[in-house]
Amino acid sequence: MSDLHLSTLAVHAGYEPEKQFGSVSQPIMLTTTFERENGVPREHIYTRTENPNRISLETKLAILEGGAEAIAFGSGQAAAYAVFQAVLEPGAHVLIPDDCYHGIRTLFAQVYQGWQINCEEVDMSEVSKVVDAIRPETKLIWIETPTNPKLKIFDIAGISKIAAQKGIPVACDNTWATPFFQRPFELGVEIVMHSTTKYFGGHSDILGGAVILKEKGPLGARIRAVQGTGGGVPSPFDCWLLNRSLATYPLRMPVHSSNAFTLAQFLDQQAAIERVYYPGLATHPNHEIAKAQMRGGFGGMLSIEVKGGKEKAVQLAENLQIFTHATSLGGVESLIEHRRTAEGLNPRSPENLLRVSVGIEFIGDLVADFEQALARL
């Protein structure tokens, strides 16, 4: 099945019509426990450790990303936490991007505060800076490209090559690009993480995460133990709904990307916009790297800095009529967010930055919405 096109895999991978009734649509197995025969478990025992809907989802996610094994979680944060639990130990040193999802920084600052983990932030847009930051006690390099919210692009192959020489695993958060635009395993990464809440879910109604391994082995077994024993698993219904959403994922992604590119070009020409962050623009400092490692587009996310500071940025967001001012991203509907306000404790984003998740609406309407909103500033 791995030889089939991504669009075909998104529909068919992980499920065949069940035998009892021949249901083409997968049933939702809401049971928490399964009958034993003479005290011996059948195929499943208990939904915390495994469930048919979750197994189907994990099979599909692994195939879509090109990995050997996927492990599903109840959120993207739970997935990231499982990687850190499986890889790190007290005294370990870990590298993360200087621009990354604030929840990752918060995880190390709060949850791992007493673990004596040394978390160092690095500008990974230059591979040499990653090399300089590596120490003998470095146990993990965590990359995120494009980054959240400034859309920095990192040379995945370059970082992975250096890490392999040092025997350090590399984990890549591929949530924003997804395997539709970017294939980290082909560039040397060993671990891929997703917030499946975002583009995989695509409709702003599922909370989930996943860790995907390039190869099966002890690392996957440790992450699987964190999943089953720790219990941060998605419900059967969420697995079923995510499986359903994945069927249209390859159809949604090119529209997200095309709309974002057109909107970024428009905003780049507006006097009220100080800066546009989008790797598809030739003016983006990492544009050439993005062209080399992203295929078929640059994704549906962009960020802008508005002249006039926080007041004007928030006013612009509120002036929009089609774009909803809300947190999260990757849904079919367009969202805009004043990022610094959403980051809570220890915010990093500039006061005038708005993060934009461009949906799949008609692009003419999205551009017109920004035109009227900018005219009212």
Side-chain angles (χ1 to χ4, degrees):
M1 181 166 276
S2 59
D3 294 333
L4 298 175
H5 190 275
L6 187 72
S7 295
T8 306
L9 295 171
V11 174
H12 293 285
Y15 176 71
E16 295 180 0
E18 50 85 28
K19 295 178 181 178
Q20 185 176 3
F21 299 108
S23 174
V24 173
S25 176
Q26 185 182 33
I28 307 174
M29 303 294 287
L30 294 176
T31 184
T32 56
T33 191
F34 300 85
E35 183 184 32
R36 301 185 180 209
E37 291 183 344
N38 299 317
V40 179
R42 297 186 184 183
E43 190 173 352
H44 309 295
I45 299 174
Y46 189 60
T47 281
R48 174 166 54 78
T49 54
E50 58 181 3
N51 175 279
N53 295 112
R54 191 162 83 236
I55 291 171
S56 176
L57 172 64
E58 291 175 340
T59 301
K60 180 175 287 187
L61 290 173
I63 291 173
L64 291 178
E65 190 65 73
E69 179 182 17
I71 305 166
F73 292 87
S75 69
Q77 278 290 87
Y81 180 71
V83 174
F84 301 146
Q85 285 285 91
V87 175
L88 303 178
E89 57 191 24
H93 177 244
V94 57
L95 302 181
I96 67 171
D98 61 341
D99 181 57
C100 72
Y101 174 51
H102 80 100
I104 296 299
R105 289 196 304 268
T106 303
L107 196 59
F108 281 107
Q110 295 183 357
V111 177
Y112 282 101
Q113 193 173 35
W115 284 56
Q116 300 176 332
I117 301 292
N118 188 344
C119 178
E120 181 175 352
E121 298 180 22
V122 180
D123 179 4
M124 295 186 179
S125 57
E126 296 182 39
V127 176
S128 62
K129 292 185 177 180
V130 178
V131 175
D132 292 342
I134 292 174
R135 306 177 186 176
E137 61 269 26
T138 303
K139 301 299 181 183
L140 177 69
I141 299 176
W142 180 272
I143 63 177
E144 176 186 311
T145 178
T147 64
N148 180 1
K150 292 186 177 180
L151 292 107
K152 287 185 176 182
I153 302 295
F154 305 146
D155 181 354
I156 299 175
I159 294 172
S160 297
K161 182 178 180 180
I162 295 299
Q165 292 171 354
K166 303 284 188 179
I168 303 168
V170 176
C172 178
D173 182 341
N174 202 30
T175 299
W176 279 25
T178 84
F180 190 92
F181 298 117
Q182 185 170 272
R183 313 285 291 185
F185 287 137
E186 296 176 10
L187 300 171
V189 163
E190 292 135 286
I191 308 165
V192 169
M193 191 282 288
H194 281 274
S195 171
T196 55
T197 307
K198 310 305 192 294
Y199 287 107
F200 280 166
H203 296 80
S204 303
D205 56 6
I206 306 166
L207 189 69
V211 178
I212 305 164
L213 287 305
K214 186 176 183 178
E215 305 288 346
K216 289 188 176 183
L219 176 58
R222 292 198 297 274
I223 295 173
R224 181 75 68 183
V226 175
Q227 178 205 47
T229 306
V233 296
S235 70
F237 179 71
D238 280 343
C239 292
W240 177 89
L241 192 57
L242 183 53
N243 240 324
R244 182 184 183 186
S245 297
L246 283 167
T248 61
Y249 146 74
L251 304 179
R252 292 183 267 110
M253 296 310 295
V255 184
H256 283 296
S257 181
S258 175
N259 282 356
F261 186 36
T262 300
L263 186 61
Q265 290 176 309
F266 166 76
L267 291 170
D268 200 37
Q269 301 301 315
Q270 304 308 303
I273 304 302
E274 187 174 290
R275 183 172 181 179
V276 178
Y277 297 91
Y278 187 69
L281 296 177
T283 53
H284 189 285
N286 312 130
H287 177 64
E288 293 303 316
I289 300 174
K291 281 202 307 181
Q293 70 185 22
M294 300 182 79
R295 305 173 182 175
F298 300 93
M301 296 298 301
L302 60 95
S303 290
I304 57 176
E305 291 184 11
V306 183
K307 292 180 180 177
K310 177 182 178 180
E311 180 181 353
K312 288 295 184 181
V314 172
Q315 183 183 344
L316 176 58
E318 293 301 319
N319 285 351
L320 290 162
Q321 297 173 351
I322 297 175
F323 288 79
T324 301
H325 192 173
T327 294
S328 201
L329 59 101
V332 293
E333 66 288 313
S334 292
L335 303 178
I336 191 164
E337 176 187 59
H338 182 250
R339 189 62 194 151
R340 188 176 181 90
T341 303
E343 286 177 347
L345 297 174
N346 303 312
R348 296 283 190 86
S349 295
E351 290 277 7
N352 64 336
L353 185 141
L354 295 173
R355 192 185 71 182
V356 186
S357 174
V358 187
I360 64 171
E361 303 96 336
F362 175 60
I363 185 56
D365 291 336
L366 299 181
V367 171
D369 194 23
F370 260 99
E371 284 179 328
Q372 66 82 23
L374 288 164
R376 293 161 55 200
L377 282 181

